[in-house]
Amino acid sequence: MVINIKFLTEKEREQIGFNYIMAKLQVITPYGKEEMKNVKPFKREEKEKVIKEYDYIELIIGSLEKDKELFYEILKILFKIKDIRNSVKRCKTAKILDEVELYEIKIFCLLSEELRTFIERLKIDIEDIKLKSVKPILDLLDPQKKRIATFYIYDEYSQKLKEIREKKREIERQIFLETEKEKIEKLKEKRLEIVVLEQQEELEVKKRISKELFSYINILEANIKAIGRFDFLMAKAKLSMEYGGVKPHISEELEINFKNMINPQVSDILKAQGKKFTPISLKIKNGTTVITGANMGGKTVALKTITLNLLLGIMGFFVFAEETSFPIVDFIHFVSEDLQSVSRGLSSFGAEVIKLKEIIEDVKKESGFIALDEIARGTNPEEGLYIVKAISKYLNSFPSITLLATHYDGVVEENMIHYQVVGLKNIDFEMLKQKINMNRSNSIEILQEYMDYNLERVDSFYEVPKDALNICRILGLEEEVIKLAEKYYEKEE
């Protein structure tokens, strides 16, 4: 897949679940796989193109639901389609195609005609998937007009070839009837001379066919493109149907709005464990938005989910939400602890600094989206807080959208949006403690079950909840440690 570094590195795409989505796409043909490989974000000036892409997916979804039997027949054809691009390339460079290549092009054309008929029956108004008639190519490769899946250098191609073959057959008949060894040997020599003539004439025929085929190359290339587009659009539509995707609205404002969005990768992992993904809703705008909450609270999942859906949306996919609107941005950055620079010898904090320098260069020139997941946790807490405050305040002044997740208190300023993970805020702690005491071996699972991963918008000065201390109590940390911690909390207050 072609990676535009302004829209996440390969590692970052893996982290947010983008590669998982690509692997889930049910692309069938080599041409559809090429479309998928070359998928890239639409640019700001391509707004009409991305909207058209959404319209196409919507039309395919409607057709998939309505014309199931037709799609079943179409799928059977798509699975038979082989890659003829190398033969097409050779033909364009005036090479003589061999019989296998001519056979494969003929099969491609037979399948193209069949597919064209079925797609026309779908009555979908999508110019990109309309196949051209390949009748003139079939007439060239099938002079007998039998339309069967075989290819041969037919006698119809050349009167001279027909006469040579007739002579060859006559000699073969004589060899069969002859009994004298000496005469048989002479006839075989004669046959060999005729075979050489036959091969020479067949080469001339293949040269002529290849030359004629060159004039139809544009039709073959157009159909290759149309099949690839249809295959890829169908895969996008099926993916959307599988996970409840929605057609996005492209906004001119620097605002992102998601209602009940999910991350399919995380959702599937939880489903396998018998759990459900808590859909995430939030509305953010240019400047800095801060998500606070204790660890275990799902802040990282929230950041991955919004980054994934935004990236998919500007790549022309439906997004996994109930409603959504967002602008086309110039870049997307996702900064998490697991940075590639760590493997190159930098500390996690050092790697973050390198990445932050890159982000600042981009925000000075363009408008984009930045997701920062618990940055500066690789340094001491006091310095970490100051750095997070400085970064959030600095980025708040640029026409980009920054979403920053942190467990630090005091980061949010009055002109910033503040979301909080609900966490254990509404839980009866005594009840939860009793439940865990009854089943100590599954304490973490029970805790996660009661953790509320919803985001709620709160005012700027709303404190980060002290869930960490409550979790220590519930999980039965030494009482003396709890009391010491409570004293430090009191001093702080």
Side-chain angles (χ1 to χ4, degrees):
M1 188 177 297
V2 177
I3 298 292
N4 183 336
I5 212 76
K6 282 189 175 289
F7 290 88
L8 311 182
T9 63
E10 182 66 40
K11 178 72 175 175
E12 288 159 0
R13 291 185 179 197
E14 176 70 38
Q15 283 178 299
I16 66 169
F18 178 82
N19 292 357
Y20 180 82
I21 291 296
M22 293 297 105
K24 292 287 285 185
L25 281 171
Q26 296 173 34
V27 182
I28 299 163
T29 67
Y31 315 124
K33 286 170 185 169
E34 185 71 13
E35 288 285 317
M36 181 176 76
K37 179 184 165 188
N38 293 322
V39 66
K40 60 181 187 288
F42 285 86
K43 295 175 183 173
R44 198 183 295 273
E45 60 271 22
E46 295 176 314
K47 179 182 174 182
E48 295 309 313
K49 283 186 181 179
V50 73
I51 290 170
K52 191 178 277 189
E53 189 75 1
Y54 298 152
D55 291 341
Y56 289 169
I57 296 169
E58 189 173 48
L59 285 169
I60 297 276
I61 288 172
S63 192
L64 275 165
E65 291 170 339
K66 181 169 65 76
D67 303 306
K68 288 178 183 174
E69 287 185 16
L70 270 178
F71 272 97
Y72 177 70
E73 295 302 321
I74 285 168
L75 282 173
K76 287 198 292 186
I77 297 167
L78 292 177
F79 276 112
K80 293 176 188 174
I81 290 174
K82 298 254 183 352
D83 195 347
I84 62 161
R85 285 173 295 183
N86 192 51
S87 299
V88 168
K89 187 179 175 183
R90 277 171 43 77
C91 187
K92 283 176 79 172
T93 53
K95 299 287 192 302
I96 301 170
L97 303 185
D98 62 32
E99 285 181 56
V100 173
E101 290 175 305
L102 294 170
Y103 163 75
E104 287 181 346
I105 291 172
K106 180 183 175 183
I107 296 298
F108 174 83
C109 290
L110 287 169
L111 292 170
S112 282
E113 278 299 279
E114 207 177 339
L115 189 59
R116 184 171 70 90
T117 305
F118 279 117
I119 290 176
E120 283 175 359
R121 283 173 62 189
L122 290 174
K123 293 183 170 55
I124 305 175
D125 187 20
I126 301 176
E127 195 61 38
D128 289 16
I129 67 169
K130 289 178 180 174
L131 277 79
K132 295 181 183 294
S133 170
V134 289
K135 186 179 180 300
I137 304 174
L138 281 173
D139 288 345
L140 173 64
L141 298 176
D142 184 21
Q144 296 178 339
K145 295 186 169 51
K146 290 182 179 178
R147 298 303 191 250
I148 57 174
T150 57
F151 179 76
Y152 178 61
I153 304 297
Y154 304 98
D155 290 352
E156 285 83 355
Y157 283 126
S158 160
Q159 182 61 32
K160 183 180 176 182
L161 180 63
K162 186 179 179 182
E163 289 167 4
I164 290 169
R165 284 175 174 170
E166 282 173 356
K167 282 181 185 177
K168 188 177 78 170
R169 282 193 291 272
E170 176 55 30
I171 289 170
E172 286 169 345
R173 189 182 69 79
Q174 290 174 27
I175 291 169
F176 179 75
L177 296 172
E178 188 56 62
T179 56
E180 288 183 33
K181 191 175 179 183
E182 200 173 307
K183 285 184 179 178
I184 289 172
E185 288 305 314
K186 283 183 180 178
L187 285 167
K188 281 184 177 179
E189 285 174 19
K190 197 172 181 182
R191 182 190 178 278
L192 188 59
E193 289 170 9
I194 293 173
V195 166
V196 171
L197 292 173
E198 181 185 32
Q199 288 173 343
Q200 287 172 350
E201 186 57 22
E202 283 179 351
L203 184 64
E204 288 302 312
V205 169
K206 284 186 277 190
K207 194 183 292 183
R208 194 169 71 245
I209 294 172
S210 299
K211 193 174 179 182
E212 282 188 56
L213 202 53
F214 176 77
S215 60
Y216 301 120
I217 282 295
N218 62 327
I219 296 176
L220 288 172
E221 289 184 325
N223 282 4
I224 284 169
K225 182 69 177 171
I227 291 168
R229 286 288 288 135
F230 179 73
D231 190 11
F232 190 41
L233 282 169
M234 189 166 60
K236 283 182 175 183
K238 285 182 174 180
L239 183 76
S240 177
M241 291 165 78
E242 183 180 354
Y243 290 103
V246 67
K247 182 180 182 180
H249 170 72
I250 299 296
S251 170
E252 290 296 329
E253 305 299 319
L254 262 179
E255 289 186 356
I256 295 173
N257 182 22
F258 282 106
K259 182 181 176 185
N260 291 333
M261 66 176 159
I262 68 159
N263 185 314
Q265 183 176 24
V266 180
S267 180
D268 285 349
I269 290 168
L270 290 172
K271 192 176 178 181
Q273 298 170 354
K275 299 171 186 174
K276 283 185 74 176
F277 185 94
T278 302
I280 297 161
S281 299
L282 80 170
K283 188 172 183 178
I284 56 180
K285 60 180 184 178
N286 65 298
T288 301
T289 295
V290 181
I291 300 178
T292 58
N295 291 334
M296 287 182 68
K299 301 188 299 296
T300 297
V301 170
L303 258 65
K304 286 180 178 180
T305 303
I306 188 170
T307 307
L308 170 68
N309 281 286
L310 180 62
L311 178 62
L312 287 170
I314 61 172
M315 279 187 159
F317 289 77
F318 275 20
V319 300
F320 306 112
E322 281 182 19
E323 288 177 23
T324 181
S325 65
F326 49 79
I328 297 176
V329 292
D330 300 314
F331 62 82
I332 294 176
H333 286 293
F334 178 78
V335 182
S336 188
E337 185 180 32
D338 184 19
L339 289 167
Q340 285 177 303
S341 305
V342 178
S343 63
R344 296 203 299 264
L346 283 172
S347 67
S348 59
F349 180 62
E352 283 175 356
V353 172
I354 298 296
K355 187 71 178 177
L356 287 167
K357 281 175 66 182
E358 183 187 328
I359 288 168
I360 288 166
E361 286 305 307
D362 281 344
V363 296
K364 285 177 180 177
K365 297 179 287 188
E366 297 172 314
S367 241
F369 172 78
I370 304 142
L372 304 174
D373 181 26
E374 295 280 11
I375 57 166
R377 61 180 149 191
T379 185
N380 78 67
E382 191 174 2
E383 281 190 299
L385 170 60
Y386 299 152
I387 289 162
V388 172
K389 280 173 70 77
I391 290 292
S392 58
K393 185 169 184 174
Y394 181 79
L395 292 175
N396 195 44
S397 62
F398 286 93
S400 282
I401 300 170
T402 300
L403 186 62
L404 182 147
T406 183
H407 64 279
Y408 288 126
D409 232 337
V411 172
V412 189
E413 298 200 351
E414 196 170 356
N415 57 348
M416 295 177 187
I417 296 171
H418 185 191
Y419 277 93
Q420 188 130 7
V421 179
V422 175
L424 299 172
K425 176 182 167 186
N426 303 315
I427 294 299
D428 180 338
F429 284 100
E430 281 307 311
M431 175 275 295
L432 186 54
K433 192 173 181 181
Q434 284 175 20
K435 200 158 190 175
I436 286 173
N437 284 337
M438 290 166 66
N439 190 359
R440 282 277 172 199
S441 61
N442 292 316
S443 56
I444 298 296
E445 288 79 3
I446 294 166
L447 188 60
Q448 286 174 333
E449 185 185 335
Y450 282 89
M451 183 75 73
D452 187 342
Y453 296 105
N454 281 296
L455 296 177
E456 62 175 355
R457 188 161 174 175
V458 293
D459 66 47
S460 307
F461 303 106
Y462 201 87
E463 284 189 357
V464 175
K466 306 299 186 287
D467 276 352
L469 189 59
N470 287 326
I471 289 167
C472 290
R473 285 195 188 98
I474 291 165
L475 295 179
L477 187 64
E478 180 65 42
E479 188 62 33
E480 195 174 334
V481 176
I482 300 288
K483 284 178 179 175
L484 283 168
E486 283 173 343
K487 284 179 183 176
Y488 292 129
Y489 274 95
E490 285 166 13
K491 281 182 186 176
E492 194 181 284
E493 289 167 3

PDB file of all heavy atoms in Angstrom, residues 344-355:
ATOM      1  N   ARG A 344      15.265   2.638  17.604  1.00  0.00           N
ATOM      2  CA  ARG A 344      16.503   3.189  17.036  1.00  0.00           C
ATOM      3  C   ARG A 344      17.405   3.768  18.139  1.00  0.00           C
ATOM      4  O   ARG A 344      18.346   4.479  17.869  1.00  0.00           O
ATOM      5  CB  ARG A 344      16.166   4.263  15.999  1.00  0.00           C
ATOM      6  CG  ARG A 344      15.414   3.725  14.803  1.00  0.00           C
ATOM      7  CD  ARG A 344      15.600   4.625  13.596  1.00  0.00           C
ATOM      8  NE  ARG A 344      15.102   5.972  13.810  1.00  0.00           N
ATOM      9  CZ  ARG A 344      13.900   6.378  13.444  1.00  0.00           C
ATOM     10  NH1 ARG A 344      13.059   5.548  12.864  1.00  0.00           N
ATOM     11  NH2 ARG A 344      13.524   7.614  13.650  1.00  0.00           N
ATOM     12  N   GLY A 345      17.043   3.511  19.398  1.00  0.00           N
ATOM     13  CA  GLY A 345      17.921   3.910  20.488  1.00  0.00           C
ATOM     14  C   GLY A 345      17.467   5.131  21.269  1.00  0.00           C
ATOM     15  O   GLY A 345      18.087   5.487  22.264  1.00  0.00           O
ATOM     16  N   LEU A 346      16.406   5.811  20.842  1.00  0.00           N
ATOM     17  CA  LEU A 346      15.903   6.948  21.597  1.00  0.00           C
ATOM     18  C   LEU A 346      14.975   6.459  22.703  1.00  0.00           C
ATOM     19  O   LEU A 346      14.327   5.427  22.569  1.00  0.00           O
ATOM     20  CB  LEU A 346      15.102   7.884  20.676  1.00  0.00           C
ATOM     21  CG  LEU A 346      15.890   8.788  19.743  1.00  0.00           C
ATOM     22  CD1 LEU A 346      14.932   9.474  18.784  1.00  0.00           C
ATOM     23  CD2 LEU A 346      16.663   9.838  20.509  1.00  0.00           C
ATOM     24  N   SER A 347      14.885   7.219  23.791  1.00  0.00           N
ATOM     25  CA  SER A 347      13.885   6.919  24.809  1.00  0.00           C
ATOM     26  C   SER A 347      12.508   7.208  24.218  1.00  0.00           C
ATOM     27  O   SER A 347      12.387   7.893  23.196  1.00  0.00           O
ATOM     28  CB  SER A 347      14.109   7.810  26.033  1.00  0.00           C
ATOM     29  OG  SER A 347      13.836   9.162  25.681  1.00  0.00           O
ATOM     30  N   SER A 348      11.459   6.723  24.880  1.00  0.00           N
ATOM     31  CA  SER A 348      10.101   6.995  24.371  1.00  0.00           C
ATOM     32  C   SER A 348       9.839   8.496  24.361  1.00  0.00           C
ATOM     33  O   SER A 348       9.219   9.020  23.445  1.00  0.00           O
ATOM     34  CB  SER A 348       9.058   6.266  25.217  1.00  0.00           C
ATOM     35  OG  SER A 348       9.137   6.687  26.562  1.00  0.00           O
ATOM     36  N   PHE A 349      10.350   9.212  25.386  1.00  0.00           N
ATOM     37  CA  PHE A 349      10.156  10.662  25.429  1.00  0.00           C
ATOM     38  C   PHE A 349      10.935  11.343  24.303  1.00  0.00           C
ATOM     39  O   PHE A 349      10.433  12.254  23.640  1.00  0.00           O
ATOM     40  CB  PHE A 349      10.578  11.213  26.792  1.00  0.00           C
ATOM     41  CG  PHE A 349      10.411  12.705  26.894  1.00  0.00           C
ATOM     42  CD1 PHE A 349       9.159  13.295  26.786  1.00  0.00           C
ATOM     43  CD2 PHE A 349      11.508  13.530  27.069  1.00  0.00           C
ATOM     44  CE1 PHE A 349       9.006  14.677  26.862  1.00  0.00           C
ATOM     45  CE2 PHE A 349      11.371  14.904  27.145  1.00  0.00           C
ATOM     46  CZ  PHE A 349      10.115  15.478  27.047  1.00  0.00           C
ATOM     47  N   GLY A 350      12.152  10.875  24.065  1.00  0.00           N
ATOM     48  CA  GLY A 350      12.944  11.441  22.965  1.00  0.00           C
ATOM     49  C   GLY A 350      12.261  11.250  21.629  1.00  0.00           C
ATOM     50  O   GLY A 350      12.245  12.150  20.781  1.00  0.00           O
ATOM     51  N   ALA A 351      11.672  10.073  21.450  1.00  0.00           N
ATOM     52  CA  ALA A 351      10.955   9.786  20.205  1.00  0.00           C
ATOM     53  C   ALA A 351       9.748  10.717  20.053  1.00  0.00           C
ATOM     54  O   ALA A 351       9.455  11.194  18.956  1.00  0.00           O
ATOM     55  CB  ALA A 351      10.503   8.332  20.192  1.00  0.00           C
ATOM     56  N   GLU A 352       9.078  10.985  21.170  1.00  0.00           N
ATOM     57  CA  GLU A 352       7.929  11.905  21.128  1.00  0.00           C
ATOM     58  C   GLU A 352       8.358  13.309  20.730  1.00  0.00           C
ATOM     59  O   GLU A 352       7.670  13.985  19.955  1.00  0.00           O
ATOM     60  CB  GLU A 352       7.252  11.949  22.507  1.00  0.00           C
ATOM     61  CG  GLU A 352       6.386  10.749  22.794  1.00  0.00           C
ATOM     62  CD  GLU A 352       5.824  10.760  24.202  1.00  0.00           C
ATOM     63  OE1 GLU A 352       6.160  11.655  25.000  1.00  0.00           O
ATOM     64  OE2 GLU A 352       5.042   9.843  24.508  1.00  0.00           O
ATOM     65  N   VAL A 353       9.480  13.751  21.258  1.00  0.00           N
ATOM     66  CA  VAL A 353       9.972  15.105  20.944  1.00  0.00           C
ATOM     67  C   VAL A 353      10.244  15.234  19.446  1.00  0.00           C
ATOM     68  O   VAL A 353       9.879  16.240  18.817  1.00  0.00           O
ATOM     69  CB  VAL A 353      11.236  15.437  21.767  1.00  0.00           C
ATOM     70  CG1 VAL A 353      11.854  16.753  21.301  1.00  0.00           C
ATOM     71  CG2 VAL A 353      10.895  15.514  23.254  1.00  0.00           C
ATOM     72  N   ILE A 354      10.882  14.210  18.859  1.00  0.00           N
ATOM     73  CA  ILE A 354      11.156  14.216  17.417  1.00  0.00           C
ATOM     74  C   ILE A 354       9.843  14.324  16.642  1.00  0.00           C
ATOM     75  O   ILE A 354       9.718  15.088  15.678  1.00  0.00           O
ATOM     76  CB  ILE A 354      11.913  12.932  16.991  1.00  0.00           C
ATOM     77  CG1 ILE A 354      13.275  12.831  17.693  1.00  0.00           C
ATOM     78  CG2 ILE A 354      12.062  12.844  15.479  1.00  0.00           C
ATOM     79  CD1 ILE A 354      14.254  13.914  17.356  1.00  0.00           C
ATOM     80  N   LYS A 355       8.841  13.556  17.067  1.00  0.00           N
ATOM     81  CA  LYS A 355       7.534  13.562  16.398  1.00  0.00           C
ATOM     82  C   LYS A 355       6.833  14.906  16.582  1.00  0.00           C
ATOM     83  O   LYS A 355       6.222  15.434  15.643  1.00  0.00           O
ATOM     84  CB  LYS A 355       6.672  12.424  16.962  1.00  0.00           C
ATOM     85  CG  LYS A 355       5.357  12.213  16.248  1.00  0.00           C
ATOM     86  CD  LYS A 355       5.546  11.613  14.873  1.00  0.00           C
ATOM     87  CE  LYS A 355       4.211  11.368  14.194  1.00  0.00           C
ATOM     88  NZ  LYS A 355       4.350  10.855  12.844  1.00  0.00           N
TER      89      LYS A 355
END
